[in-house]
């Protein structure tokens, strides 16, 4: 078996040259060069230029708005995602299949469509905005609107990351806890939740990264007031329209590095969590 | 037809898997490569089939050097351990595959292919099952389809990689004799890879006992049992004698 | 069913209704609020029709390139070991980690009139950004992982025995692909192609950076939705949105259908 595993190194199958050639050509033109484009512009900025762009109070405010709204949206999704994943996986009820399929709708729906739909819902004359208006609450054109848009576009990440772990839960562990006298709440908190942690971590992490970069769905509902409801992606767009490419690259490079760092951290944390369970088992 | 393996060597990642292995197969002869797992027998078969390139040595068929010939050009029919039947093709299409992929000039027409498939289905005693898919067959039937598919290209050599290992003991017994009689009927030389001595004794004219990338002894079953050349051969066979 | 189960199901359904169903319902009521006739005349506005055409055209160009690339990449990665294989895999997945506006910016910085690749080409009279080429290029970027991602796992589990068998039977590379590999990966390929198409037709942020936003010329349908909305043409915007919503719903239905018939091909997002 060892031999057959290693023999794949020099596979007798044809096509390596052709397929690898096509792949490298495509990846170079479509992925690598554009990333180099950003990296090149980013690297050309001197430290002082970079600090000047990033030190701009408007930029700092946009980062604060983006990150805080993304964090809030992620919290909503952690709870909502866990609930949806649990109900879809554990219970059998009419409409379950439809519910399961609907989870991916925010992925499939173009973000500009989501954007105008959310405004229509949460503006003062919208179905939900109208319900909230008597209480003096109007989510549209505020920070809350941004949170709603971010939560909408990233909810599938949370659900889909948690779902497989719920499917894999070992019913025997729950039964064992029950025979030992644990209450339902204790079983959930002490037996089930720890098993779901890798999924919750991945799901919320991906949801957060997606929220940081969300643009289309947010700009319609945000109001886009500088210092208050202006997200970083929009500010990049504004700098581009002003032909201030270095400033756009500085903000974009910072956001991209932040996202990549987060994704790498999630990856590492997840591997560690899984390893702990495997060794413990 | 005579087939010669000469000084074949193969190293994987610094580990010698085959060391100067030599072997010959006479016309119509049935040879078994017998040995424990890791002895190199499957690698040797893959090299013979052209699926793995040797680091050194030579393969010859009727004096023609085929060491660097691509697998498909060797015209060696191979029966894989997992049978590797094409799951999306009917039994008949599986058997006809080797004919269908021939260059246009050599490719038999539709009628000729159908004729050949029919003959092969009769040969493996499943004339009614040409329209079935592999998933609808029993393990034994699958193995016979794999045989028919390998025979369809009029192979110069038939290669069998543990062809009975996926079957239960009962089916295994009856298929053994049918494989042997098929091979005799077609008159093709065959090389079988197995770790099961009973299988080697039942099928092979000569058996090469392999250990750690080398052939310890290459002889008839009677000679192997009567006069084991090395202590490994004696041990390897002796254990089996006690079990029986 | 226990009370708690009913309660949790009720909560989940309510959450999904508010979070996911209500927005779609809002689109439909706004689009059809003034009657079917108003909806239809909004759709057949020349600008909107042109946007639909441009969106379809983009998908028609992007899809074949994506399929060829996706299969080639999956084949190379699944069937061969070569140095840099892992790095290649990461590079192909990176577009999922780059947000839309930043993706568009990357293209502008390299292929734009001031970019290291774009500037020399511009001198030759070849413009890559702010036109259909730009839209196609960023669409290729945002959809690049889809096909490869669906096909690769199927190639890995189907293994290469069948392909080796075909090889010993004398098949050449194209014959092996056409008769043995393609039938095995077909549904995963279709699945990936559907996802890539939906994404290519729906992409907003990245396309809006590089499209140049020329009215009636470089506006894809998602951009047209924004344009109409900012023009206070609400019916027009929501009518255009219904087309994209229908596309999203069809995508989901096709996915569910494929997952039901060919579970091995219906990987999750």
């Amino acid at each position: 078996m060892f031999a057959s595993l290693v023999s794949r190194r020099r596979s007798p199958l044809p096509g390596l040259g052709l397929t690898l050639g096509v792949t490298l050509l495509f990846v170079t033109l479509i992925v690598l060069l554009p990333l180099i484009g950003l990296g090149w512009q980013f690297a050309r900025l001197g430290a002082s230029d970079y600090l000047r762009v990033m030190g701009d109070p408007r930029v700092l405010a946009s980062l604060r708005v983006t990150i805080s709204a993304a964090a809030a949206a992620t919290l909503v999704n952690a709870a909502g995602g866990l609930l949806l994943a649990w109900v879809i996986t554990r219970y059998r009820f009419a409409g379950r299949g439809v519910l399961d399929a609907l989870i991916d709708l925010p992925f499939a729906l173009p973000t500009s469509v989501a954007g105008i739909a959310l405004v229509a819902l949460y503006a003062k004359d919208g179905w939900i905005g109208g319900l909230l208006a008597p209480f003096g609450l109007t989510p549209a054109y505020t920070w809350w609107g941004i949170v709603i848009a971010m939560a909408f576009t990233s909810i599938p990440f949370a659900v889909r990351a948690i779902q497989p772990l719920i499917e894999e839960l070992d019913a025997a562990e729950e039964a064992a806890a029950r025979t030992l006298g644990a209450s339902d709440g204790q079983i959930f908190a002490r037996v089930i939740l720890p098993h779901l942690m890798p999924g919750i971590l991945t799901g919320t992490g991906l949801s957060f990264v997606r929220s940081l970069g969300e643009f289309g769905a947010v700009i319609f509902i945000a109001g886009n007031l500088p210092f208050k409801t202006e997200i970083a992606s929009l500010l990049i767009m504004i700098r581009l329209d002003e032909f201030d490419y270095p400033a756009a690259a500085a903000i974009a490079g910072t956001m991209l590095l932040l996202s990549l760092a987060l994704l790498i951290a999630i990856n590492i944390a997840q591997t560690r969590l899984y390893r702990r369970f495997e060794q413990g088992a | 037809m005579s087939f010669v393996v000469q000084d074949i060597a193969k190293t994987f990642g610094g580990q010698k898997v085959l060391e100067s292995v030599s072997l010959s197969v006479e016309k119509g002869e049935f040879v078994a490569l017998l040995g424990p797992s890791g002895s190199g027998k499957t690698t040797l078969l893959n090299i013979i089939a052209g699926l793995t390139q040797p680091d050194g040595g030579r393969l010859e068929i009727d004096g023609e050097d085929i060491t660097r010939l691509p697998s498909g050009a060797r015209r060696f029919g191979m029966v894989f351990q997992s049978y590797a039947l094409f799951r999306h093709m009917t039994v008949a299409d599986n058997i006809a595959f080797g004919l269908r992929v021939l260059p246009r000039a050599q490719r038999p027409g539709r009628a000729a292919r159908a004729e050949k498939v029919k003959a092969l289905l009769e040969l493996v005693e499943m004339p009614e099952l040409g329209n079935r898919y592999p998933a609808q067959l029993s393990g034994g039937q699958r193995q016979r389809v794999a045989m028919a598919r390998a025979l369809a290209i009029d192979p110069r050599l038939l290669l069998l990689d543990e062809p009975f290992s996926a079957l239960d003991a009962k089916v295994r017994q009856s298929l053994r004799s049918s494989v042997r009689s098929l091979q005799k009927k077609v008159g093709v030389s065959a090389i079988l890879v197995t770790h099961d001595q009973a299988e080697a004794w039942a099928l092979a004219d000569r058996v090469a006992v392999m250990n750690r990338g080398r052939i310890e002894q290459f002889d008839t079953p009677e000679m192997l049992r009567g006069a084991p050349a090395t202590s490994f051969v004696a041990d390897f066979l002796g254990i089996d004698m006690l079990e029986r | 069913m226990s009370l708690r189960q009913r309660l949790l199901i009720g909560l989940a359904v309510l959450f999904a209704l508010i979070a996911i169903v209500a927005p779609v319902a809002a689109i439909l009521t706004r689009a059809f609020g003034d009657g079917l006739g108003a909806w239809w005349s909004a759709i057949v506005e020349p600008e909107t029709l042109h946007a639909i055409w441009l969106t379809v055209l983009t998908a028609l160009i992007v899809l074949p390139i994506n399929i060829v690339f996706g299969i080639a990449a999956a084949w190379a990665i699944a069937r061969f070991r070569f140095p840099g294989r892992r790095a290649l895999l990461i590079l192909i997945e990176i577009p999922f980690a780059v947000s839309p506006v930043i993706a568009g910016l990357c293209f502008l910085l390299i292929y734009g009139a001031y970019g290291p690749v774009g500037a020399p080409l511009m001198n030759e009279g070849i413009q890559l950004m702010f036109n259909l080429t730009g839209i196609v290029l960023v669409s290729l970027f945002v959809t690049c992982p889809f096909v490869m991602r669906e096909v690769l796992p199927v190639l890995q589990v189907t293994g290469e025995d069948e392909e080796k068998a075909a090889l010993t039977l004398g098949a050449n590379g194209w014959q092996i692909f056409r008769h043995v590999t393609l039938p095995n990966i077909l549904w995963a390929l279709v699945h990936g192609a559907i996802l890539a198409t939906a994404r290519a037709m729906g992409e907003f942020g990245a396309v809006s950076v590089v499209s140049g936003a020329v009215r009636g010329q470089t506006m894809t349908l998602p951009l047209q939705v924004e344009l109409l909305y900012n023009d206070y043409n609400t019916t027009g915007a929501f009518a255009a949105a219904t087309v994209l919503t229908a596309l999203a719903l069809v995508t989901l239905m096709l996915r569910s259908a494929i997952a039901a018939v060919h579970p091995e091909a219906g990987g999750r997002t």
Side-chain angles (χ1 to χ4, degrees):
Chain A
M1 203 176 77
F2 173 72
S4 72
L5 210 73
V6 183
S7 71
R8 291 169 62 125
R9 270 175 208 279
R10 209 174 286 154
S11 172
L13 295 171
L16 175 64
L18 178 70
T19 57
L20 195 57
V22 168
T23 305
L24 290 180
L25 178 71
F26 182 94
V27 168
T28 305
L29 290 179
I30 299 298
V31 183
L32 199 55
L33 272 179
L35 288 175
I36 289 173
L38 178 60
W40 170 77
Q41 183 70 253
F42 191 70
R44 271 198 336 172
L45 283 166
S48 64
D49 277 340
Y50 178 76
L51 290 176
R52 181 183 53 75
V53 173
M54 298 309 289
D56 178 353
R58 187 170 166 192
V59 173
L60 289 177
S62 80
L63 289 178
R64 201 167 51 236
V65 169
T66 309
I67 293 172
S68 62
T74 302
L75 281 180
V76 173
N77 281 348
L82 185 58
L83 174 68
L84 280 171
W86 182 263
V87 166
I88 288 172
T89 326
R90 274 300 174 96
Y91 304 143
R92 294 290 170 269
F93 55 93
R96 185 185 144 273
V98 177
L99 188 62
D100 191 18
L102 274 178
I103 300 293
D104 287 326
L105 188 66
F107 274 153
L109 203 65
T111 53
S112 62
V113 174
I116 64 169
L118 291 174
V119 187
L121 269 185
Y122 289 95
K124 272 201 181 74
D125 57 346
W127 292 336
I128 298 175
L131 289 176
L132 296 172
F135 305 99
L137 302 169
T138 32
Y141 313 120
T142 68
W143 180 82
W144 289 103
I146 303 177
V147 175
I148 288 167
M150 287 177 171
F152 174 80
T153 51
S154 60
I155 182 81
F157 283 112
V159 179
R160 296 305 186 212
I162 299 170
Q163 226 174 344
L165 295 181
I166 297 178
E167 278 164 14
E168 284 162 16
L169 281 177
D170 185 359
E173 281 188 40
E174 285 167 56
R178 205 173 298 282
T179 62
L180 294 168
S183 71
D184 286 348
Q186 285 169 323
I187 292 175
F188 184 77
R190 310 221 165 198
V191 180
I192 294 173
L193 210 53
H195 279 293
L196 303 184
M197 274 323 282
I200 294 173
L201 183 81
T202 316
T204 54
L206 292 176
S207 157
F208 184 70
V209 170
R210 167 78 199 245
S211 297
L212 283 182
E214 184 48 46
F215 175 69
V218 174
I219 53 167
F220 294 93
I221 201 173
N224 305 325
L225 276 176
F227 299 101
K228 292 215 171 83
T229 57
E230 184 178 66
I231 55 164
S233 291
L234 180 65
L235 198 54
I236 297 174
M237 278 297 258
I238 292 171
R239 292 288 180 259
L240 273 179
D241 286 340
E242 295 164 349
F243 294 101
D244 190 351
Y245 286 12
I251 306 170
T254 309
M255 296 293 289
L256 186 58
L257 287 177
L258 179 65
S259 301
L260 290 180
L262 275 168
L263 290 173
I264 293 168
I266 295 166
N267 226 317
I268 294 172
Q270 198 199 22
T271 325
R272 290 215 175 138
L273 273 179
Y274 273 124
R275 199 177 300 149
R276 195 174 72 194
F277 284 134
E278 271 167 26
Q279 281 168 351
Chain B
M1 199 271 355
S2 72
F3 175 68
V4 178
V5 173
Q6 213 173 56
D7 291 332
I8 288 290
K10 181 71 189 175
T11 303
F12 283 131
Q15 193 172 341
K16 280 185 184 164
V17 182
L18 291 174
E19 279 180 75
S20 182
V21 170
S22 298
L23 189 75
S24 68
V25 184
E26 304 304 323
K27 181 170 168 45
E29 193 182 20
F30 201 121
V31 166
L33 304 177
L34 173 68
S37 64
S39 59
K41 55 193 192 303
T42 297
T43 306
L44 181 58
L45 195 75
N46 280 331
I47 287 175
I48 294 171
L51 295 173
T52 304
Q53 277 298 314
D55 298 333
R58 205 175 139 82
L59 300 172
E60 225 173 64
I61 190 155
D62 289 331
E64 175 196 354
D65 180 2
I66 58 156
T67 320
R68 301 282 151 196
L69 201 64
S71 177
R74 293 185 186 195
R75 212 148 52 74
F76 288 179
M78 179 147 171
V79 175
F80 290 72
Q81 188 169 7
S82 59
Y83 310 138
L85 295 178
F86 308 127
R87 279 164 290 178
H88 58 282
M89 293 182 200
T90 61
V91 165
D93 286 342
N94 260 283
I95 296 172
F97 184 85
L99 305 173
R100 246 174 76 196
V101 298
L102 281 172
R104 199 170 295 271
Q106 301 160 31
R107 191 186 309 158
R110 190 180 295 271
R113 294 202 302 256
E115 193 67 23
K116 178 122 194 183
V117 168
K118 190 162 168 268
L120 281 162
L121 280 170
E122 268 161 23
L123 190 67
V124 295
E125 291 163 3
M126 29 194 307
E128 311 297 325
L129 301 182
N131 290 325
R132 295 262 186 103
Y133 283 89
Q136 300 166 309
L137 301 178
S138 70
Q141 289 170 329
R142 282 178 208 168
Q143 199 254 22
R144 280 184 282 160
V145 174
M147 279 287 285
R149 185 177 69 177
L151 291 173
I153 60 172
D154 292 325
R156 299 195 281 181
L157 187 62
L158 184 63
L159 306 175
L160 305 153
D161 184 6
E162 303 266 12
F164 309 102
S165 63
L167 304 171
D168 58 54
K170 226 181 196 170
V171 185
R172 203 177 297 180
Q173 291 287 351
S174 75
L175 271 181
R176 252 184 225 162
S177 47
S178 88
V179 163
R180 177 74 218 216
S181 67
L182 262 178
Q183 179 258 346
K184 279 239 169 78
K185 208 183 284 178
V186 179
V188 65
S189 312
I191 301 178
L192 164 82
V193 159
T194 181
H195 63 274
D196 179 352
Q197 296 166 51
E199 213 167 283
W201 305 152
L203 286 162
D205 300 312
R206 282 192 294 165
V207 176
V209 179
M210 293 190 69
N211 179 36
R212 297 184 181 194
R214 266 202 279 250
I215 293 181
E216 298 266 339
Q217 189 175 359
F218 182 34
D219 224 322
T220 60
E222 295 71 34
M223 286 301 288
L224 281 168
R225 279 182 289 196
T230 66
S231 59
F232 173 81
V233 176
D235 278 356
F236 190 63
L237 304 185
I239 289 161
D240 188 64
M241 306 290 239
L242 287 179
E243 273 178 359
R244 278 198 271 179
Chain C
M1 200 179 278
S2 76
L3 184 65
R4 191 178 52 213
Q5 283 189 18
R6 282 169 198 276
L7 194 72
L8 284 175
I9 293 173
L11 262 177
V13 170
L14 186 70
F15 183 80
L17 279 177
I18 293 175
I20 299 171
V21 178
V24 174
I27 294 166
L28 299 181
T29 50
R30 293 282 170 124
F32 295 106
D34 298 333
L36 213 57
W39 174 81
W40 178 248
S41 49
I43 295 283
V44 296
E45 276 289 315
E47 273 188 18
T48 302
L49 278 184
H50 184 269
I52 293 176
W53 160 239
L54 187 62
T55 302
V56 171
L57 180 65
T58 305
L60 286 178
I61 301 172
V62 166
L63 194 61
I65 300 177
N66 237 311
I67 287 176
V68 170
F69 160 73
I71 293 174
W75 176 266
I77 290 170
R79 292 291 180 257
F80 304 101
R81 296 291 174 274
F82 49 87
R85 186 172 155 276
R86 278 193 61 86
L88 181 63
L89 203 53
I90 292 172
L91 212 53
I92 294 172
E93 297 259 349
I94 269 194
F96 278 159
V98 179
S99 66
V101 171
I102 297 180
L105 172 70
C106 288
F107 276 80
L108 219 52
L109 290 176
I110 190 96
Y111 294 127
Y114 306 102
V117 176
L121 286 173
M122 199 70 173
N123 289 335
E124 302 292 320
I126 302 170
Q127 187 187 340
L128 295 179
M129 290 291 114
F130 303 128
N131 55 22
L132 178 63
T133 318
I135 296 173
V136 167
L137 287 175
V138 288
S139 300
L140 283 173
F141 178 86
V142 296
T143 58
C144 136
F146 284 109
V147 172
M148 193 279 302
R149 244 182 174 217
E150 298 299 322
V151 172
L152 181 63
V154 179
L155 269 185
Q156 279 169 337
V157 298
T158 49
E160 30 186 287
D161 271 2
E162 287 183 41
E163 285 151 7
K164 281 183 179 165
L167 196 66
T168 63
L169 292 168
N172 63 32
W174 169 249
Q175 288 169 325
I176 293 176
F177 176 74
R178 169 73 191 75
H179 296 299
V180 179
T181 312
L182 189 60
N184 277 331
I185 61 168
L186 185 63
W187 287 102
L189 180 66
V190 170
H191 186 215
I194 289 170
L195 296 181
T197 309
R199 184 68 202 269
M201 295 177 93
E203 179 53 34
F204 174 74
V207 171
S208 87
V209 175
V210 302
S211 90
V214 185
R215 247 173 206 273
Q217 282 183 34
T218 63
M219 301 299 281
T220 61
L221 200 50
L223 299 186
Q224 187 68 17
V225 168
E226 183 197 24
L227 184 80
L228 292 168
Y229 188 80
N230 289 342
D231 282 352
Y232 299 100
N233 183 349
T234 318
T235 308
F238 281 97
T242 55
V243 178
L244 291 167
T245 308
L247 182 76
L249 291 174
V250 168
T251 305
L252 291 186
M253 283 191 275
L254 285 175
R255 279 191 66 175
S256 300
I258 291 175
V261 186
H262 299 275
E264 77 286 353
R268 285 205 172 114
T269 322

